[in-house]
Amino acid sequence: MALGGALALAPLPAGPAAAAPAPAGHHPTLRKGSAARAGLLGSHLHRLVSDAQAFLGPSPTHPWYAGAVLLAGRGGTVALHRAIGMAVRYRAYDEKTGTGVEFPADEQIPMAEDTVFDLASVSKLFTSLLAVQQMERGKLRLEATVASYLPDFARAGKQDITVRQLLTHTSGLRAWIPLYSAPTYEEKLQLVWDEKPVSAPGTAYLYSDLNLISLQLVLERITGRTLDALLRDEITEPLGLRRTRYNPPASWRPEIAATEDARPPWSGLDRGLVWGQVHDENAFSLGGVAGHAGVFSDAWDLAVLGRTLLNGGVYGRTRVMAPESVELMFTDFNTAFPGDEHGLGFELYQHWYMGAMATPRSAGHTGFTGTSLVLDPTTDSFLVLLGNSVHPVRSWRSGSAPRVAAANHLARAVPVRPVRGRTAWFSGMAVSAVATLTLPALDTSSGGARLRCALWWDTEPKADALVLEATTDGGAAWRPVPFTTSRPDEEPRQHPSGSVTGWSGRVWHLLTAGLPAERGLTLRWRYATDQRYVGRGCYVDGLRVTTADGVLFDGTRPADASRVEAVGWTPSAD
């Protein structure tokens, strides 16, 4: 598409540079390599590590974690795999002073790349994968009621809850109940059977451990195997995940990150330092094997799992799931609940921990112990962050700032190449910021003036917006300028408010805007972000203003480019 005869937008792929190409039909397996081989920018991976190290200190009061393992990559290349801090540092928590009681220095254990972590709720992904496998085999139906497999589940108004509602947290079950308070396994089951939904099934989103505990019971009933046996037989052994399992043996203990000094009142059980056993009280009371928690793993194994899903269910010569089944895990079933997007098992499009990696197709999960996995099919990238953030006590950490920071840096490491020339204007990714890109005053009084440029945007939906504005009084008053965006494979989109927000596909769009006839018209781009999260940002390239009489402004000409006033925007080659 020609832009004033000066700029063309070919049918570009996803905007970012591609990772090292693979042969047609090839499904990559993982190996370590350089950032360049992965199609990533090494400088931003370095920042990812340095920012992660900052959270070893006060953040804001206590360390967010005692240590962490970071793994990031794209395609078949793991471009970053680093361990920071300590896997085992504290032997206890002193509630009177609010301090951690450290082990002697020679008994502390540094974090290693292959340190094993209690994944906490990231375990839910494995349960979900096992469920989808059983759907493929015809033993489990997505829209079947749970009670059709577990008749006792129908008690207390749960007869209409479906398997899909368990997987998408729309069953109406509350977040959790203290199963550990029941002394026997049978009595724990009775608590589940007698539990009454807090909302009608399918009417609200409520994240609940009970959903995946219930799904575990379904899987064990229809297969005749325990959940740990299913995990071993159907996922970990086929994929070669040698450090992923429930109930790791005692010999693994020196290689496992410690969690919490678990005692009342902050813990439901009095267990002392939890190290090598599952942290979650309910999972512990269920013998360490539970649908919602209990899996231990390391960063590499999680990356292999992520690569398998990004490959459409296959890793090397091993297929554990059909591509159509994987698609269900990356598809939003919760369109009725905006902001709570969810595939089967996977959370989708969650800026609160995915940061700028969040897209409508980005899938992931977090764990209470400080773990997380994010997969971005749009850029074929993956991020694993495993931290022991409840060591020595759960109250030390708050929020997901390390996860967001890591995801932002990996997203920024995926280049966005200019459409024309060496650089495009980039808005940056700062929070609580206003960035403006202002053209010089132009005389459009002859009429027929038009702005043309290439535009790329990805922002936190609704919270952050990019606006095209104009002033005729030197900046005392600005008004929005309506525009149209288009790309080769889509119908043109009108933007009467002069703004864009949210997801654009992370591709370049052609922008055109008719301009009013004025003797002194000044145009600017204004990108405003709130104080919480951001997307990948905005890019503008090939700015050009024309009238029937000729070119008034051409951003590719050095003289014109030098007249642009940029506050927060910077020329970017990537």
Side-chain angles (χ1 to χ4, degrees):
M1 294 185 295
L3 286 179
L7 178 67
L9 281 180
L12 297 176
H26 175 72
H27 302 291
T29 55
L30 295 182
R31 61 176 176 173
K32 292 187 177 183
S34 66
R37 179 175 179 81
L40 297 170
L41 302 173
S43 60
H44 296 289
L45 296 184
H46 294 316
R47 286 280 308 277
L48 191 160
V49 174
S50 61
D51 275 13
Q53 289 172 327
F55 290 101
L56 294 169
S59 47
T61 304
H62 302 287
W64 200 87
Y65 39 43
V69 177
L70 317 165
L71 187 150
R74 191 176 179 209
T77 302
V78 173
L80 170 66
H81 192 186
R82 286 282 300 276
I84 61 174
M86 306 302 292
V88 181
R89 179 175 177 181
Y90 305 99
R91 63 178 175 83
Y93 172 68
D94 185 341
E95 65 270 29
K96 294 181 179 179
T97 62
T99 59
V101 181
E102 295 189 359
F103 280 104
D106 60 350
E107 295 181 27
Q108 296 183 27
I109 301 176
M111 200 68 77
E113 290 181 357
D114 60 353
T115 294
V116 172
F117 286 77
D118 175 350
L119 297 183
S121 285
V122 176
S123 306
K124 291 180 172 70
L125 298 181
F126 290 94
T127 309
S128 302
L129 286 165
L130 292 169
V132 175
Q133 284 180 331
Q134 295 305 315
M135 293 177 197
E136 283 188 10
R137 297 168 191 177
K139 290 188 175 182
L140 186 66
R141 292 180 293 116
L142 185 62
E143 297 301 336
T145 63
V146 179
S148 66
Y149 303 103
L150 301 170
D152 287 335
F153 187 84
R155 296 183 198 168
K158 300 193 296 300
Q159 67 277 359
D160 295 328
I161 293 175
T162 66
V163 171
R164 173 175 57 82
Q165 289 163 351
L166 296 183
L167 283 162
T168 58
H169 295 284
T170 56
S171 68
L173 295 176
R174 56 179 161 162
W176 74 287
I177 56 177
L179 297 178
Y180 57 82
S181 65
T184 67
Y185 181 75
E186 290 71 23
E187 289 172 292
K188 298 178 199 304
L189 290 185
Q190 291 302 319
L191 291 177
V192 176
W193 305 150
D194 295 339
E195 180 67 14
K196 182 180 180 179
V198 296
S199 60
T203 63
Y205 174 87
L206 176 59
Y207 180 84
S208 173
D209 288 349
L210 295 176
N211 289 323
L212 277 295
I213 292 172
S214 301
L215 188 60
Q216 170 192 2
L217 299 174
V218 172
L219 289 171
E220 293 181 338
R221 175 69 60 86
I222 65 177
T223 65
R225 287 182 282 172
T226 59
L227 191 64
D228 55 340
L230 283 169
L231 177 69
R232 180 191 65 233
D233 297 343
E234 306 294 347
I235 297 178
T236 61
E237 284 193 355
L239 293 177
L241 308 183
R242 296 179 178 85
R243 296 175 71 81
T244 303
R245 59 170 293 163
Y246 288 100
N247 289 327
S251 61
W252 283 25
R253 191 169 187 258
E255 302 169 357
I256 297 175
T259 54
E260 187 176 35
D261 179 10
R263 292 179 281 119
W266 56 87
S267 174
L269 297 174
D270 191 350
R271 300 170 60 194
L273 179 63
V274 179
W275 179 14
Q277 294 181 319
V278 63
H279 172 261
D280 181 89
E281 294 95 334
N282 280 340
F284 178 73
S285 77
L286 290 167
V289 180
H292 71 295
V295 177
F296 285 72
S297 188
D298 70 1
W300 189 269
D301 275 9
L302 278 183
V304 170
L305 179 70
R307 185 67 262 162
T308 301
L309 295 172
L310 290 170
N311 286 347
V314 63
Y315 189 79
R317 298 181 179 181
T318 301
R319 179 170 290 283
V320 296
M321 190 175 293
E324 297 80 9
S325 298
V326 175
E327 184 68 17
L328 296 177
M329 308 190 88
F330 288 82
T331 298
D332 182 21
F333 283 82
N334 284 1
T335 55
F337 311 110
D340 294 315
E341 292 82 355
H342 219 287
L344 297 186
F346 276 91
E347 297 168 335
L348 307 175
Y349 207 19
Q350 298 299 309
H351 285 81
W352 68 270
Y353 70 91
M354 297 178 181
M357 288 183 71
T359 78
R361 298 270 296 164
S362 295
H365 215 287
T366 63
F368 185 78
T369 51
T371 57
S372 60
L373 169 68
V374 181
L375 309 176
D376 178 12
T378 303
T379 59
D380 202 29
S381 57
F382 47 91
L383 173 67
V384 180
L385 192 158
L386 302 178
N388 53 351
S389 65
V390 297
H391 184 56
V393 69
R394 66 188 70 186
S395 60
W396 272 21
R397 69 97 191 270
S398 62
S400 281
R403 295 168 174 144
V404 171
N408 283 351
H409 288 307
L410 180 55
R412 183 66 180 87
V414 179
V416 177
R417 303 300 188 194
V419 171
R420 183 173 185 230
R422 295 183 177 181
T423 62
W425 288 104
F426 175 46
S427 67
M429 293 167 54
V431 298
S432 299
V434 176
T436 56
L437 183 70
T438 308
L439 274 60
L442 303 173
D443 185 354
T444 60
S445 58
S446 62
R450 296 187 68 79
L451 167 70
R452 298 172 185 261
C453 65
L455 183 65
W456 190 108
W457 74 93
D458 175 60
T459 79
E460 184 189 3
K462 298 181 181 178
D464 304 332
L466 176 68
V467 185
L468 178 62
E469 299 175 318
T471 183
T472 57
D473 57 10
W478 294 87
R479 63 181 183 274
V481 178
F483 57 83
T484 300
T485 58
S486 58
R487 44 183 294 206
D489 55 346
E490 291 182 357
E491 290 295 319
R493 293 172 54 192
Q494 305 297 321
H495 303 268
S497 64
S499 66
V500 290
T501 186
W503 169 250
S504 73
R506 292 193 178 179
V507 296
W508 285 101
H509 295 247
L510 167 66
L511 178 145
T512 58
L515 304 178
E518 300 285 352
R519 290 197 176 276
L521 181 74
T522 302
L523 297 171
R524 77 174 182 187
W525 290 104
R526 178 172 57 85
Y527 178 49
T529 62
D530 68 359
Q531 62 183 355
R532 304 192 71 186
Y533 315 113
V534 294
R536 181 60 175 77
C538 307
Y539 290 80
V540 175
D541 196 15
L543 286 161
R544 186 177 174 90
V545 179
T546 61
T547 66
D549 297 331
V551 178
L552 297 182
F553 177 87
D554 186 344
T556 65
R557 297 187 302 210
D560 283 354
S562 66
R563 299 164 64 199
V564 174
E565 180 182 342
V567 178
W569 293 71
T570 56
S572 174
D574 48 32

